[in-house]
């Protein structure tokens, strides 16, 4: 384990801009449970995103759209309980905000009130900007998400890089400015050319957090399982900062072998009983009547 440097100043929705203005880059990672949140906190990660990617990386489903509000609440609560320092952002799942401003505010309120998140995230520009405004006006910090927005992947023709033409990049910039004007405290930029992300970032007062958007954003986010080598295939923009698959499988193999050859558990893993009690129990066990078979 590498030494932990003094953790930098804690970030929260109200100081994000100042923290970035001071020259610091924001570090965000997804998290879905209590132990991961504790580890990320220990590592000094600034922000934890309880992403709807949970549907795929945790629940093994085909799409990020296949996760319910109740499931997202369960993940968010677990992460919030584990995170003492990090700012927790809860992802609004598919169809929890798209239908109306009212639904968006109710579900954002649940992620904060019941889930313990400090902010919520929603995807897209256009009508999603109205939802972001409604959430912000309700007093809830909201993070936008532009570029490749997985909830609209079926409509976008799959998981493809976005904003690769001048016109599409200009639309993205418009959406980003609209989200900022609507009250977003930060914007995730996913799978877009680096020059677009850099230019959009330079036009915004709020921080951008990139994933597959190059180095010119105010911070970076990666999916937990991807960056720790726990998924088989990863998008090209992922760097695996660790490989937890091999040591995990090794540990499980050692456990299986130890159980099978009888070397686990040993006395040190076992509760003892006073000799006289053990002797008395042995006598009682020997004389106890056999249970008759009910058949
Ligand atoms: O759900 C998620 O993990 C995300 C990140 C990829 C930004 O939205």
């Amino acid at each position: 384990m590498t030494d932990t440097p003094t953790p930098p100043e804690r970030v929260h929705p109200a100081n994000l801009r100042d923290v970035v203005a001071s020259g610091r880059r924001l570090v965000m990672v997804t998290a879905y449970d209590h132990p991961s949140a504790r580890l990320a906190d220990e590592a000094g990660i600034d922000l934890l995103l309880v992403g709807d990617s949970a549907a795929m990386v945790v629940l093994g489903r085909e799409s990020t759209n296949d996760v319910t509000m109740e499931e997202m609440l369960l993940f968010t609560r677990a992460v919030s309980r584990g995170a003492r320092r990090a700012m927790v952002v809860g992802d609004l799942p598919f169809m929890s905000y798209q239908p109306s401003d009212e639904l968006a505010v109710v579900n954002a309120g649940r992620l904060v009130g019941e889930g313990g998140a400090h902010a919520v995230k929603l995807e897209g520009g256009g009508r999603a900007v109205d939802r972001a405004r409604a959430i912000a006006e309700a007093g809830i910090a909201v993070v936008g998400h532009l570029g490749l927005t997985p909830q609209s992947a079926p409509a976008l023709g799959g998981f493809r890089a976005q904003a690769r033409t001048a016109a599409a990049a200009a639309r993205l910039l418009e959406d980003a400015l609209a989200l900022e004007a609507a009250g977003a405290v930060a914007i995730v930029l996913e799978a877009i050319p680096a020059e677009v992300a850099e230019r959009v970032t330079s036009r915004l007062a709020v921080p951008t957090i990139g994933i597959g958007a190059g180095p010119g954003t105010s911070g970076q986010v990666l999916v937990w399982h991807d960056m720790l080598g726990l998924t088989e295939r990863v998008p090209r923009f992922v760097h695996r900062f660790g490989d937890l698959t091999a040591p995990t499988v090794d540990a499980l193999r050692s456990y299986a072998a130890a159980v099978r050859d009888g070397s686990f558990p040993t006395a040190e893993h076992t509760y003892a009983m006073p000799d006289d009690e053990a002797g008395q129990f042995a006598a009682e066990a020997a004389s106890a009547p056999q249970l008759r078979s009910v058949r």
Side-chain angles (χ1 to χ4, degrees):
M1 206 153 77
T2 47
D3 286 346
T4 322
T6 319
E9 186 197 355
R10 226 182 128 174
V11 306
H12 50 77
N15 74 355
L16 279 176
R17 284 188 197 204
D18 292 344
V19 165
V20 168
S22 74
R24 201 169 118 196
R25 289 209 171 97
L26 297 172
V27 186
M28 181 189 239
V29 68
T30 66
Y32 314 99
D33 59 25
H34 184 266
S36 317
R38 279 184 41 229
L39 294 176
D41 237 20
E42 197 175 314
I45 301 289
D46 297 312
L47 300 108
L48 296 177
L49 171 62
V50 190
D52 59 4
S53 49
M56 297 173 81
V57 297
V58 176
L59 300 175
R61 295 179 183 154
E62 291 288 317
S63 156
T64 60
N65 288 353
D66 190 2
V67 65
T68 65
M69 191 60 209
E70 299 309 318
E71 289 167 333
M72 288 305 296
L73 276 168
L74 189 75
F75 293 129
T76 307
R77 272 198 293 269
V79 169
S80 300
R81 281 194 294 264
R84 300 238 172 97
R85 276 191 75 258
M87 171 174 151
V88 177
V89 180
D91 223 356
L92 282 162
F94 184 55
M95 283 302 138
S96 70
Y97 62 94
Q98 286 92 341
S100 69
D101 286 356
E102 290 71 26
L103 190 64
V105 172
V106 166
N107 283 323
R110 291 192 74 194
L111 284 178
V112 173
E114 296 171 44
H118 301 103
V120 302
K121 177 171 84 57
L122 50 66
E123 294 186 6
R127 226 170 273 157
V129 175
D130 295 333
R131 307 290 178 259
R133 184 178 303 105
I135 292 170
E137 281 174 359
I140 296 170
V142 59
V143 174
H145 182 161
L146 296 172
L148 171 55
T149 46
Q151 290 180 9
S152 9
L156 294 172
F159 288 79
R160 293 161 194 271
Q162 300 293 310
R164 298 180 89 174
T165 64
R171 279 196 300 277
L172 188 141
L173 173 60
E174 232 173 76
D175 282 336
L177 291 167
L179 277 169
E180 176 176 281
V185 297
I187 301 177
V188 169
L189 297 176
E190 178 165 356
I192 62 172
E195 45 276 66
V196 177
E198 192 174 346
R199 201 163 283 277
V200 168
T201 301
S202 73
R203 291 289 312 276
L204 294 174
V206 295
T208 57
I209 303 177
I211 173 162
T217 52
S218 326
Q220 298 290 326
V221 55
L222 283 176
V223 169
W224 182 275
H225 296 71
D226 290 345
M227 63 154 297
L228 292 176
L230 289 165
T231 36
E232 277 172 46
R233 280 181 298 124
V234 291
R236 61 168 286 170
F237 53 74
V238 171
H239 178 73
R240 285 183 160 131
F241 286 87
D243 175 10
L244 297 195
T245 296
T248 305
V249 173
D250 280 352
L252 290 167
R253 282 199 180 119
S254 303
Y255 166 57
V259 171
R260 289 179 186 134
D261 71 14
S263 60
F264 174 84
T266 62
E268 67 175 302
H269 310 114
T270 309
Y271 297 105
M273 194 180 192
D275 286 349
D276 55 338
E277 297 291 340
Q280 192 181 328
F281 175 62
E284 279 169 17
S287 62
Q290 291 279 27
L291 274 184
R292 250 190 244 125
S293 164
V294 287
R295 265 184 295 167

